[in-house]
Amino acid sequence: MLVITETQWRSLGLLEPEYREIISRQGREPSPTELAMYSVEWSEHCGYSRSRSAIKSLPRQGRYPVLVGQDAGGIVWDDLAILFKVESHNHPSQVQPRHGAATGVGGIIRDILANGARPIALLDSLRFGTDPDSYRILQGVVDGIQFYGNCVGVPTVGGETCFHPGYNGNCLVNVMCIGLAPRDKLATARAVPGHSVMYLGSRTGRDGIGGCSVLASQDLGEADKRPSVQIGDPFAGKCLIEATLEAIATGHILAVKDMGAAGLTCTTSEMSAEGNCGMALSLDTVPLREHPMAPYEIMMSESQERMLAVVRKGKEQLISEIFHKWGLEAEVMGITTERPVLEISHKGSIVAELSPENLTSPPMRDLPTGPPKPRLLPDIVNLMHPSPSEALLRLLGSPNLCGKHWIYEQYDHMVQVNTVVRPGEGDAAVLRIKGTQKAIAATFDGNSRYTLLDPHRGGVLAVAEAARIVEDLKTRLKQVDSIDDVQVFLDVNPD
Amino acid sequence: MRLGVVRFPGSNCDQDVVWVLETILGQDVAVLWHEAEDLNHMDAVILPGGFSYGDYLRCGAIARGSPVMKALSDFAQRGNPLLGICNGFQILLEAGLLPGVLRQNACRRFLCKDVFVRVERTDTPFTLACREGQVLRIPIAHGEGNFLHHPSELASILKNNQVVFRYCTEDGRVVPEANPNGSLEYIAGLCNTGGNILGMMPHPERCSEAILGGNDGLLIWRSLITWLSIQRKALSNKLEVCS
């Protein structure tokens, strides 16, 4: 019986109290595969172990019925569900700008897709430093967004790009996706016992292994973290959109979730926990890109463009045909069970047997609180007083104020023919909803300086700015004949 | 009248073209999967934009080998209208149905913005509703729109009057600053010697509704519909005379 060493669980990003908690909940030491699964599922990026309590305090009521709790949130507008979500991909983009940003786009699209919604728009909020290396990262990130967004056929319609020395060595890449679905056709991630579990999409390789626990959840050190950055394939992403929507339309997809951070671990555990049931799966059926791969590698892999679905028993062939038509893999991995246990086997042995509930409820870590770091105050006290002409020149030379068409002209912002107000034409993008008199205005805003100095005020101001922009647009658009009514939705990411 | 829109794995603008033809213009439209070998009584076919096969190898290089392309080649040989937009244009070039190649934009970046094009020929099924020299405002969105051909082949293209659209300024001047991608001879759209196959880089389906910023694209669709009506009328007149 393999003994897990402290070096092993520490190198996976777990803390001592967490390791003790695992043993306490299981009543035994975890197997290597189980340990790997805990390390990724309990990471900050997946479990939000440090920020969950703060996020839970945000308001959930509004003018429109709200959809909360699945992989993306949204609102209901008459018979339409409008879904949106923002996700950050900061560390991967710092390490490998093009691929980090590209997979950020791919991942957020899949979160929307997993709800059965067609992704209709992307926005991004980017923060870069001002040193020469930041310029390289800016170019890589913009390249990554255009590389993935353009090919996958979802228009990038808005966002913001800001520069500040505080971001030297630590860029921020936040991507938002908006999706549309008929209200009564939304998909769920809640597994149902007695049906088949199917693996859908691209093959599994070693990319991104430990990405969320190694990269997303911790500070960047000097070591080369490149193997942890996932590689995206927007062509596969596009085929996945079409195949998934086609499959959901058959009515035989009972539950579906996309494999992003923590790949198979996340999907199998979260779908089971949602449905209060379990799964009995064999890793032998997982289509692999590299051979051989250990069970823990298969469970931790963050290979892109994959979904896990619970398919109605007897309809596996039908679903397979749809995915094969689009050039994607489709394999039955096992079944969903009444017994709420995740039983994973590989080459004839059981390599993991754990409770989905345990796996998906990480112990909370408290966020340290305290006053802002004192070094900020001297900066404010010693304000510079340039002459008006000096100030003007500095402003004109600021990358924060310059035209950004160099960036947004690299993004296809018109595909899907819904873009009424384009980047550069206003402070928010406007998308019409075909076949209705409705339109959506979307903006993505934040003010780093204010939020750093006073996080609470900064958050409030970010929401207010976004609301003001969209209200202003609403007033201006009412003058246009072809749009009768413009409702406003907000999705804001305070830094 | 039946209009076909081909769909390859990776096509993005197929649904946009279908939306315009079916919903805006009320036409009978069928989506043709790339494996279709039978064009099923289509009167005209459109190859839409996007990233067929992810632009792997070269844009359009893999799509040109799809089963539907053989049927389309025969279809076009019989004089039926065939329109390739953006990636569709790239596929027509790779398939040898139009002359030349499209390379990476001279600025080495993907470019998405409105451009102006001048109509150079009005005797094609796609431009008969236009005036010669008319300036249209149509958006582009491509990374590989830089037309190139061997000088002797280019001379032949010019001699046969195969250039249908040229990039120009808003007031119709064909000058370097109006050329977004470095295309030789400012070529934005080009047809075969028969005049029934047109490839164009700008996207007319993206400017077929005023709400989206302009509707110059409607001229191209209306030309096609009118041309097909004329053909149909001429055919039925012929049949009447014969019977």
Side-chain angles (χ1 to χ4, degrees), chain B residues 13 47-50 55 59 83-93 98 101-105 110-111 113 115 117 138-147 164-167 179-181 183 186-190 198-206 220:
Chain B
C13 310
L47 292 172
D55 278 0
C59 303
L83 171 65
I85 301 169
C86 201
N87 188 222
F89 184 8
Q90 291 160 343
I91 295 169
L92 290 173
L93 290 172
L98 285 175
V101 298
L102 285 166
R103 293 183 307 160
Q104 189 184 29
N105 293 346
F110 189 96
L111 258 186
K113 61 180 202 168
V115 296
V117 295
I138 314 184
I140 54 166
H142 59 249
E144 288 83 15
N146 186 354
F147 184 83
V164 178
F165 298 113
R166 277 198 170 88
Y167 295 112
N179 192 338
N181 51 36
S183 268
Y186 303 85
I187 291 171
L190 159 89
L198 170 66
M200 59 189 293
M201 284 317 286
H203 288 259
E205 76 283 7
R206 295 185 179 194
I220 287 154

Short mmCIF file of all heavy atoms in Angstrom, two decimals, chain B residues 13 47-50 55 59 83-93 98 101-105 110-111 113 115 117 138-147 164-167 179-181 183 186-190 198-206 220:
data_model
loop_
_atom_site.label_atom_id
_atom_site.label_comp_id
_atom_site.label_asym_id
_atom_site.label_seq_id
_atom_site.Cartn_x
_atom_site.Cartn_y
_atom_site.Cartn_z
N CYS B 13 -20.08 31.62 -40.59
CA CYS B 13 -21.00 32.62 -41.12
C CYS B 13 -22.15 31.99 -41.90
O CYS B 13 -22.95 32.70 -42.51
CB CYS B 13 -20.25 33.62 -41.99
SG CYS B 13 -18.79 34.26 -41.13
N LEU B 47 -20.80 29.65 -50.47
CA LEU B 47 -19.81 29.11 -49.54
C LEU B 47 -19.52 30.22 -48.54
O LEU B 47 -18.95 31.25 -48.92
CB LEU B 47 -18.51 28.73 -50.29
CG LEU B 47 -18.60 27.56 -51.25
CD1 LEU B 47 -17.30 27.45 -52.05
CD2 LEU B 47 -18.83 26.26 -50.50
N PRO B 48 -19.93 30.06 -47.28
CA PRO B 48 -19.85 31.17 -46.33
C PRO B 48 -18.46 31.33 -45.71
O PRO B 48 -17.57 30.50 -45.93
CB PRO B 48 -20.86 30.77 -45.26
CG PRO B 48 -20.76 29.28 -45.24
CD PRO B 48 -20.47 28.85 -46.66
N GLY B 49 -18.32 32.36 -44.91
CA GLY B 49 -17.05 32.62 -44.22
C GLY B 49 -16.89 31.79 -42.96
O GLY B 49 -17.78 31.05 -42.56
N GLY B 50 -15.73 31.92 -42.34
CA GLY B 50 -15.45 31.17 -41.11
C GLY B 50 -14.04 30.63 -41.12
O GLY B 50 -13.17 31.19 -41.79
N ASP B 55 -8.67 26.44 -40.39
CA ASP B 55 -7.60 27.02 -41.24
C ASP B 55 -6.32 26.20 -41.16
O ASP B 55 -5.22 26.72 -41.44
CB ASP B 55 -7.27 28.47 -40.83
CG ASP B 55 -8.25 29.48 -41.43
OD1 ASP B 55 -9.17 29.06 -42.16
OD2 ASP B 55 -8.08 30.68 -41.17
N CYS B 59 -5.76 28.14 -45.30
CA CYS B 59 -7.20 28.43 -45.31
C CYS B 59 -7.85 27.74 -46.51
O CYS B 59 -7.45 27.97 -47.64
CB CYS B 59 -7.44 29.93 -45.43
SG CYS B 59 -6.64 30.86 -44.14
N LEU B 83 -21.21 31.57 -55.09
CA LEU B 83 -20.60 32.71 -54.40
C LEU B 83 -19.77 32.22 -53.23
O LEU B 83 -20.26 31.47 -52.39
CB LEU B 83 -21.71 33.65 -53.88
CG LEU B 83 -21.29 34.80 -52.95
CD1 LEU B 83 -20.39 35.79 -53.67
CD2 LEU B 83 -22.52 35.53 -52.41
N GLY B 84 -18.53 32.66 -53.14
CA GLY B 84 -17.67 32.32 -52.00
C GLY B 84 -17.34 33.59 -51.24
O GLY B 84 -16.81 34.53 -51.82
N ILE B 85 -17.69 33.61 -49.94
CA ILE B 85 -17.43 34.80 -49.12
C ILE B 85 -16.30 34.49 -48.15
O ILE B 85 -16.40 33.53 -47.38
CB ILE B 85 -18.69 35.18 -48.31
CG1 ILE B 85 -19.87 35.46 -49.23
CG2 ILE B 85 -18.41 36.41 -47.43
CD1 ILE B 85 -21.20 35.57 -48.51
N CYS B 86 -15.27 35.30 -48.19
CA CYS B 86 -14.15 35.19 -47.24
C CYS B 86 -13.54 33.78 -47.26
O CYS B 86 -12.87 33.43 -48.23
CB CYS B 86 -14.62 35.62 -45.86
SG CYS B 86 -13.29 36.11 -44.76
N ASN B 87 -13.76 32.95 -46.26
CA ASN B 87 -13.24 31.59 -46.28
C ASN B 87 -13.78 30.84 -47.50
O ASN B 87 -13.10 29.99 -48.07
CB ASN B 87 -13.60 30.86 -44.98
CG ASN B 87 -12.92 29.51 -44.84
OD1 ASN B 87 -13.52 28.52 -44.42
ND2 ASN B 87 -11.65 29.42 -45.21
N GLY B 88 -14.99 31.18 -47.91
CA GLY B 88 -15.59 30.59 -49.11
C GLY B 88 -14.76 30.93 -50.35
O GLY B 88 -14.54 30.10 -51.22
N PHE B 89 -14.27 32.16 -50.42
CA PHE B 89 -13.40 32.61 -51.50
C PHE B 89 -12.11 31.80 -51.45
O PHE B 89 -11.63 31.28 -52.47
CB PHE B 89 -13.14 34.11 -51.31
CG PHE B 89 -12.34 34.81 -52.38
CD1 PHE B 89 -11.99 34.19 -53.58
CD2 PHE B 89 -11.95 36.14 -52.20
CE1 PHE B 89 -11.26 34.88 -54.57
CE2 PHE B 89 -11.24 36.83 -53.18
CZ PHE B 89 -10.88 36.20 -54.35
N GLN B 90 -11.56 31.64 -50.24
CA GLN B 90 -10.31 30.88 -50.07
C GLN B 90 -10.50 29.44 -50.54
O GLN B 90 -9.62 28.86 -51.19
CB GLN B 90 -9.86 30.92 -48.61
CG GLN B 90 -9.39 32.31 -48.17
CD GLN B 90 -9.41 32.50 -46.65
OE1 GLN B 90 -10.04 31.74 -45.92
NE2 GLN B 90 -8.72 33.53 -46.17
N ILE B 91 -11.65 28.85 -50.24
CA ILE B 91 -11.92 27.47 -50.66
C ILE B 91 -12.01 27.39 -52.18
O ILE B 91 -11.48 26.46 -52.80
CB ILE B 91 -13.22 26.95 -50.00
CG1 ILE B 91 -13.04 26.86 -48.48
CG2 ILE B 91 -13.61 25.59 -50.57
CD1 ILE B 91 -14.32 26.61 -47.70
N LEU B 92 -12.66 28.36 -52.82
CA LEU B 92 -12.77 28.37 -54.29
C LEU B 92 -11.40 28.46 -54.95
O LEU B 92 -11.15 27.83 -55.98
CB LEU B 92 -13.65 29.53 -54.75
CG LEU B 92 -15.14 29.42 -54.44
CD1 LEU B 92 -15.87 30.71 -54.80
CD2 LEU B 92 -15.77 28.24 -55.20
N LEU B 93 -10.50 29.22 -54.35
CA LEU B 93 -9.15 29.35 -54.90
C LEU B 93 -8.39 28.03 -54.74
O LEU B 93 -7.74 27.56 -55.67
CB LEU B 93 -8.37 30.45 -54.17
CG LEU B 93 -8.83 31.88 -54.43
CD1 LEU B 93 -8.10 32.84 -53.51
CD2 LEU B 93 -8.57 32.27 -55.88
N LEU B 98 -11.34 29.36 -58.95
CA LEU B 98 -10.99 30.75 -59.24
C LEU B 98 -9.46 30.82 -59.25
O LEU B 98 -8.80 30.03 -58.58
CB LEU B 98 -11.54 31.69 -58.16
CG LEU B 98 -13.04 31.98 -58.18
CD1 LEU B 98 -13.45 32.82 -56.98
CD2 LEU B 98 -13.43 32.70 -59.48
N VAL B 101 -4.10 33.21 -55.31
CA VAL B 101 -3.99 32.77 -53.92
C VAL B 101 -4.26 33.96 -53.00
O VAL B 101 -4.14 35.11 -53.42
CB VAL B 101 -2.57 32.20 -53.57
CG1 VAL B 101 -2.28 30.98 -54.40
CG2 VAL B 101 -1.50 33.25 -53.73
N LEU B 102 -4.62 33.66 -51.75
CA LEU B 102 -4.83 34.71 -50.76
C LEU B 102 -3.82 34.50 -49.63
O LEU B 102 -3.86 33.46 -48.96
CB LEU B 102 -6.26 34.65 -50.21
CG LEU B 102 -7.34 35.19 -51.15
CD1 LEU B 102 -8.73 34.77 -50.68
CD2 LEU B 102 -7.28 36.71 -51.26
N ARG B 103 -2.95 35.47 -49.46
CA ARG B 103 -1.92 35.32 -48.43
C ARG B 103 -2.29 36.12 -47.19
O ARG B 103 -3.28 36.85 -47.17
CB ARG B 103 -0.58 35.84 -48.96
CG ARG B 103 0.00 35.02 -50.07
CD ARG B 103 1.35 35.57 -50.48
NE ARG B 103 1.28 36.99 -50.77
CZ ARG B 103 2.33 37.81 -50.79
NH1 ARG B 103 3.52 37.33 -50.50
NH2 ARG B 103 2.20 39.08 -51.09
N GLN B 104 -1.39 36.03 -46.19
CA GLN B 104 -1.61 36.78 -44.97
C GLN B 104 -1.67 38.28 -45.28
O GLN B 104 -0.94 38.78 -46.15
CB GLN B 104 -0.47 36.51 -43.98
CG GLN B 104 -0.74 37.09 -42.60
CD GLN B 104 0.43 36.92 -41.63
OE1 GLN B 104 1.59 36.86 -42.03
NE2 GLN B 104 0.10 36.81 -40.36
N ASN B 105 -2.53 39.00 -44.59
CA ASN B 105 -2.61 40.46 -44.74
C ASN B 105 -1.22 41.06 -44.60
O ASN B 105 -0.42 40.60 -43.80
CB ASN B 105 -3.50 41.07 -43.65
CG ASN B 105 -4.95 40.65 -43.79
OD1 ASN B 105 -5.37 40.12 -44.83
ND2 ASN B 105 -5.74 40.89 -42.76
N PHE B 110 -5.05 40.09 -38.12
CA PHE B 110 -6.45 39.93 -38.48
C PHE B 110 -7.06 41.33 -38.45
O PHE B 110 -6.75 42.13 -37.58
CB PHE B 110 -7.12 39.04 -37.43
CG PHE B 110 -8.53 38.63 -37.79
CD1 PHE B 110 -8.76 37.40 -38.39
CD2 PHE B 110 -9.61 39.45 -37.50
CE1 PHE B 110 -10.06 37.00 -38.71
CE2 PHE B 110 -10.90 39.05 -37.82
CZ PHE B 110 -11.13 37.83 -38.41
N LEU B 111 -7.91 41.62 -39.42
CA LEU B 111 -8.53 42.95 -39.49
C LEU B 111 -10.04 42.85 -39.60
O LEU B 111 -10.55 42.22 -40.54
CB LEU B 111 -8.04 43.67 -40.74
CG LEU B 111 -6.96 44.72 -40.58
CD1 LEU B 111 -6.74 45.40 -41.92
CD2 LEU B 111 -7.33 45.78 -39.53
N LYS B 113 -13.19 45.38 -39.84
CA LYS B 113 -13.67 46.75 -39.94
C LYS B 113 -14.42 46.94 -41.25
O LYS B 113 -14.33 46.11 -42.15
CB LYS B 113 -12.51 47.73 -39.86
CG LYS B 113 -11.49 47.57 -40.97
CD LYS B 113 -10.38 48.58 -40.80
CE LYS B 113 -9.67 48.81 -42.11
NZ LYS B 113 -8.78 49.96 -42.07
N VAL B 115 -14.97 48.46 -44.87
CA VAL B 115 -14.15 49.00 -45.96
C VAL B 115 -15.08 49.43 -47.07
O VAL B 115 -16.28 49.12 -47.05
CB VAL B 115 -13.14 47.96 -46.53
CG1 VAL B 115 -12.13 47.57 -45.49
CG2 VAL B 115 -13.85 46.77 -47.12
N VAL B 117 -15.67 49.29 -51.26
CA VAL B 117 -15.26 48.62 -52.49
C VAL B 117 -15.99 49.26 -53.66
O VAL B 117 -17.13 49.71 -53.52
CB VAL B 117 -15.54 47.09 -52.47
CG1 VAL B 117 -14.69 46.41 -51.41
CG2 VAL B 117 -17.00 46.78 -52.27
N ILE B 138 -18.86 47.67 -47.03
CA ILE B 138 -19.07 46.28 -46.57
C ILE B 138 -17.96 45.93 -45.59
O ILE B 138 -16.79 46.28 -45.82
CB ILE B 138 -19.01 45.28 -47.75
CG1 ILE B 138 -19.82 45.77 -48.95
CG2 ILE B 138 -19.53 43.91 -47.31
CD1 ILE B 138 -19.87 44.78 -50.11
N PRO B 139 -18.25 45.24 -44.48
CA PRO B 139 -17.18 44.91 -43.54
C PRO B 139 -16.30 43.73 -43.98
O PRO B 139 -16.77 42.82 -44.68
CB PRO B 139 -17.91 44.54 -42.25
CG PRO B 139 -19.33 44.38 -42.60
CD PRO B 139 -19.56 44.81 -43.99
N ILE B 140 -15.03 43.80 -43.59
CA ILE B 140 -14.14 42.65 -43.77
C ILE B 140 -13.80 42.10 -42.38
O ILE B 140 -13.93 42.79 -41.38
CB ILE B 140 -12.81 43.04 -44.47
CG1 ILE B 140 -12.11 44.19 -43.74
CG2 ILE B 140 -13.04 43.33 -45.93
CD1 ILE B 140 -10.66 44.40 -44.18
N ALA B 141 -13.38 40.85 -42.36
CA ALA B 141 -12.91 40.25 -41.10
C ALA B 141 -12.04 39.08 -41.51
O ALA B 141 -12.53 37.96 -41.69
CB ALA B 141 -14.08 39.78 -40.25
N HIS B 142 -10.76 39.34 -41.71
CA HIS B 142 -9.89 38.25 -42.15
C HIS B 142 -8.43 38.51 -41.83
O HIS B 142 -8.01 39.65 -41.66
CB HIS B 142 -10.05 38.02 -43.66
CG HIS B 142 -9.72 39.21 -44.52
ND1 HIS B 142 -10.67 39.91 -45.22
CD2 HIS B 142 -8.54 39.82 -44.80
CE1 HIS B 142 -10.10 40.91 -45.89
NE2 HIS B 142 -8.81 40.88 -45.66
N GLY B 143 -7.69 37.42 -41.78
CA GLY B 143 -6.25 37.51 -41.55
C GLY B 143 -5.49 37.20 -42.84
O GLY B 143 -4.32 37.52 -42.96
N GLU B 144 -6.17 36.57 -43.79
CA GLU B 144 -5.52 36.17 -45.05
C GLU B 144 -6.36 36.63 -46.24
O GLU B 144 -7.08 35.85 -46.86
CB GLU B 144 -5.36 34.64 -45.12
CG GLU B 144 -4.31 34.06 -44.20
CD GLU B 144 -4.82 33.84 -42.78
OE1 GLU B 144 -6.06 33.87 -42.59
OE2 GLU B 144 -4.00 33.66 -41.87
N GLY B 145 -6.26 37.93 -46.59
CA GLY B 145 -7.07 38.43 -47.69
C GLY B 145 -6.23 39.08 -48.77
O GLY B 145 -6.73 39.79 -49.64
N ASN B 146 -4.94 38.83 -48.72
CA ASN B 146 -3.97 39.50 -49.59
C ASN B 146 -3.82 38.74 -50.91
O ASN B 146 -3.09 37.76 -50.99
CB ASN B 146 -2.65 39.56 -48.81
CG ASN B 146 -1.57 40.34 -49.51
OD1 ASN B 146 -1.75 40.78 -50.64
ND2 ASN B 146 -0.45 40.52 -48.83
N PHE B 147 -4.54 39.21 -51.94
CA PHE B 147 -4.58 38.47 -53.20
C PHE B 147 -3.25 38.57 -53.96
O PHE B 147 -2.63 39.63 -54.04
CB PHE B 147 -5.71 39.01 -54.10
CG PHE B 147 -5.85 38.24 -55.38
CD1 PHE B 147 -6.57 37.06 -55.41
CD2 PHE B 147 -5.22 38.68 -56.54
CE1 PHE B 147 -6.68 36.32 -56.59
CE2 PHE B 147 -5.32 37.95 -57.73
CZ PHE B 147 -6.06 36.76 -57.75
N VAL B 164 -14.17 42.02 -59.94
CA VAL B 164 -15.54 42.48 -59.72
C VAL B 164 -15.60 43.61 -58.68
O VAL B 164 -16.38 44.53 -58.79
CB VAL B 164 -16.43 41.30 -59.28
CG1 VAL B 164 -17.86 41.75 -58.99
CG2 VAL B 164 -16.43 40.22 -60.35
N PHE B 165 -14.75 43.52 -57.64
CA PHE B 165 -14.70 44.57 -56.61
C PHE B 165 -13.26 44.96 -56.36
O PHE B 165 -12.38 44.10 -56.28
CB PHE B 165 -15.27 44.07 -55.27
CG PHE B 165 -16.71 43.66 -55.30
CD1 PHE B 165 -17.08 42.33 -55.11
CD2 PHE B 165 -17.72 44.60 -55.47
CE1 PHE B 165 -18.40 41.95 -55.11
CE2 PHE B 165 -19.06 44.22 -55.48
CZ PHE B 165 -19.40 42.89 -55.30
N ARG B 166 -13.02 46.27 -56.19
CA ARG B 166 -11.69 46.74 -55.80
C ARG B 166 -11.83 47.57 -54.53
O ARG B 166 -12.79 48.35 -54.39
CB ARG B 166 -11.08 47.63 -56.90
CG ARG B 166 -10.40 46.88 -58.01
CD ARG B 166 -9.46 47.80 -58.80
NE ARG B 166 -8.63 47.02 -59.71
CZ ARG B 166 -8.98 46.70 -60.94
NH1 ARG B 166 -10.13 47.10 -61.44
NH2 ARG B 166 -8.16 45.98 -61.70
N TYR B 167 -10.86 47.45 -53.63
CA TYR B 167 -10.87 48.29 -52.42
C TYR B 167 -10.69 49.75 -52.85
O TYR B 167 -9.87 50.04 -53.72
CB TYR B 167 -9.73 47.89 -51.48
CG TYR B 167 -9.88 46.49 -50.91
CD1 TYR B 167 -8.98 45.48 -51.27
CD2 TYR B 167 -10.91 46.16 -50.03
CE1 TYR B 167 -9.11 44.19 -50.75
CE2 TYR B 167 -11.04 44.88 -49.52
CZ TYR B 167 -10.15 43.90 -49.89
OH TYR B 167 -10.27 42.62 -49.38
N ASN B 179 -6.41 50.21 -49.31
CA ASN B 179 -6.20 48.77 -49.42
C ASN B 179 -5.89 48.18 -48.05
O ASN B 179 -4.81 48.40 -47.52
CB ASN B 179 -5.04 48.51 -50.39
CG ASN B 179 -4.92 47.06 -50.80
OD1 ASN B 179 -5.42 46.16 -50.11
ND2 ASN B 179 -4.28 46.81 -51.93
N PRO B 180 -6.80 47.44 -47.44
CA PRO B 180 -6.60 47.02 -46.05
C PRO B 180 -5.57 45.90 -45.88
O PRO B 180 -5.02 45.72 -44.81
CB PRO B 180 -7.99 46.54 -45.63
CG PRO B 180 -8.62 46.08 -46.90
CD PRO B 180 -8.08 46.96 -47.99
N ASN B 181 -5.33 45.13 -46.97
CA ASN B 181 -4.51 43.93 -46.77
C ASN B 181 -3.37 43.76 -47.77
O ASN B 181 -2.67 42.77 -47.74
CB ASN B 181 -5.42 42.68 -46.81
CG ASN B 181 -6.31 42.68 -48.05
OD1 ASN B 181 -5.90 43.12 -49.13
ND2 ASN B 181 -7.53 42.21 -47.90
N SER B 183 -3.68 43.53 -51.09
CA SER B 183 -4.09 42.78 -52.30
C SER B 183 -3.58 43.39 -53.59
O SER B 183 -3.70 44.59 -53.80
CB SER B 183 -5.62 42.77 -52.42
OG SER B 183 -6.16 41.66 -51.82
N TYR B 186 -5.65 45.70 -55.84
CA TYR B 186 -6.73 46.09 -54.92
C TYR B 186 -7.92 45.14 -55.01
O TYR B 186 -9.04 45.52 -54.70
CB TYR B 186 -7.20 47.52 -55.23
CG TYR B 186 -6.10 48.54 -55.17
CD1 TYR B 186 -5.27 48.77 -56.27
CD2 TYR B 186 -5.85 49.24 -54.00
CE1 TYR B 186 -4.22 49.67 -56.20
CE2 TYR B 186 -4.82 50.16 -53.92
CZ TYR B 186 -4.00 50.36 -55.02
OH TYR B 186 -2.96 51.25 -54.95
N ILE B 187 -7.66 43.91 -55.41
CA ILE B 187 -8.74 42.95 -55.63
C ILE B 187 -9.42 42.56 -54.32
O ILE B 187 -8.82 41.99 -53.43
CB ILE B 187 -8.24 41.70 -56.38
CG1 ILE B 187 -7.87 42.09 -57.81
CG2 ILE B 187 -9.30 40.60 -56.39
CD1 ILE B 187 -7.16 40.99 -58.59
N ALA B 188 -10.73 42.87 -54.24
CA ALA B 188 -11.54 42.48 -53.09
C ALA B 188 -12.50 41.37 -53.51
O ALA B 188 -13.05 40.66 -52.67
CB ALA B 188 -12.33 43.68 -52.56
N GLY B 189 -12.72 41.26 -54.82
CA GLY B 189 -13.62 40.23 -55.32
C GLY B 189 -13.32 39.96 -56.78
O GLY B 189 -12.99 40.87 -57.53
N LEU B 190 -13.45 38.69 -57.16
CA LEU B 190 -12.99 38.27 -58.48
C LEU B 190 -13.88 37.15 -58.98
O LEU B 190 -14.38 36.35 -58.18
CB LEU B 190 -11.56 37.80 -58.27
CG LEU B 190 -10.79 36.89 -59.13
CD1 LEU B 190 -10.07 37.72 -60.16
CD2 LEU B 190 -9.74 36.24 -58.28
N LEU B 198 -18.24 33.83 -58.15
CA LEU B 198 -17.64 35.03 -57.57
C LEU B 198 -17.04 34.71 -56.21
O LEU B 198 -17.69 34.04 -55.39
CB LEU B 198 -18.70 36.14 -57.40
CG LEU B 198 -18.28 37.37 -56.57
CD1 LEU B 198 -17.17 38.16 -57.27
CD2 LEU B 198 -19.47 38.29 -56.33
N GLY B 199 -15.82 35.18 -55.99
CA GLY B 199 -15.22 35.08 -54.67
C GLY B 199 -14.99 36.49 -54.17
O GLY B 199 -14.49 37.33 -54.91
N MET B 200 -15.37 36.78 -52.92
CA MET B 200 -15.17 38.12 -52.38
C MET B 200 -14.75 38.04 -50.93
O MET B 200 -15.27 37.19 -50.18
CB MET B 200 -16.42 38.99 -52.53
CG MET B 200 -17.68 38.46 -51.86
SD MET B 200 -19.18 39.40 -52.28
CE MET B 200 -18.88 40.99 -51.50
N MET B 201 -13.84 38.91 -50.51
CA MET B 201 -13.41 38.89 -49.11
C MET B 201 -14.41 39.60 -48.17
O MET B 201 -14.66 39.11 -47.08
CB MET B 201 -12.02 39.51 -48.94
CG MET B 201 -10.86 38.63 -49.37
SD MET B 201 -11.00 36.89 -48.87
CE MET B 201 -10.64 37.01 -47.11
N PRO B 202 -14.99 40.75 -48.54
CA PRO B 202 -15.95 41.38 -47.63
C PRO B 202 -17.21 40.55 -47.44
O PRO B 202 -17.53 39.69 -48.26
CB PRO B 202 -16.27 42.71 -48.34
CG PRO B 202 -15.18 42.93 -49.31
CD PRO B 202 -14.76 41.57 -49.74
N HIS B 203 -17.90 40.79 -46.33
CA HIS B 203 -19.06 40.01 -45.93
C HIS B 203 -20.37 40.74 -46.18
O HIS B 203 -20.83 41.50 -45.33
CB HIS B 203 -18.99 39.72 -44.42
CG HIS B 203 -17.95 38.74 -44.01
ND1 HIS B 203 -18.24 37.42 -43.72
CD2 HIS B 203 -16.61 38.87 -43.84
CE1 HIS B 203 -17.14 36.78 -43.36
NE2 HIS B 203 -16.13 37.64 -43.43
N PRO B 204 -21.06 40.47 -47.30
CA PRO B 204 -22.32 41.17 -47.55
C PRO B 204 -23.43 40.83 -46.56
O PRO B 204 -24.32 41.64 -46.32
CB PRO B 204 -22.70 40.73 -48.98
CG PRO B 204 -21.96 39.46 -49.21
CD PRO B 204 -20.71 39.55 -48.41
N GLU B 205 -23.36 39.64 -45.93
CA GLU B 205 -24.42 39.27 -44.99
C GLU B 205 -24.34 40.12 -43.71
O GLU B 205 -25.29 40.17 -42.94
CB GLU B 205 -24.35 37.77 -44.65
CG GLU B 205 -23.25 37.33 -43.70
CD GLU B 205 -21.87 37.24 -44.33
OE1 GLU B 205 -21.71 37.65 -45.50
OE2 GLU B 205 -20.94 36.76 -43.64
N ARG B 206 -23.21 40.79 -43.50
CA ARG B 206 -23.04 41.59 -42.29
C ARG B 206 -23.52 43.02 -42.47
O ARG B 206 -23.52 43.81 -41.53
CB ARG B 206 -21.56 41.62 -41.86
CG ARG B 206 -21.07 40.25 -41.46
CD ARG B 206 -19.67 40.28 -40.94
NE ARG B 206 -19.24 38.95 -40.55
CZ ARG B 206 -18.16 38.70 -39.82
NH1 ARG B 206 -17.40 39.69 -39.42
NH2 ARG B 206 -17.85 37.45 -39.51
N ILE B 220 -26.14 42.78 -53.35
CA ILE B 220 -25.60 41.53 -53.86
C ILE B 220 -26.65 40.43 -53.83
O ILE B 220 -26.82 39.68 -54.80
CB ILE B 220 -24.33 41.17 -53.06
CG1 ILE B 220 -23.24 42.13 -53.49
CG2 ILE B 220 -23.89 39.73 -53.31
CD1 ILE B 220 -22.17 42.40 -52.51
#
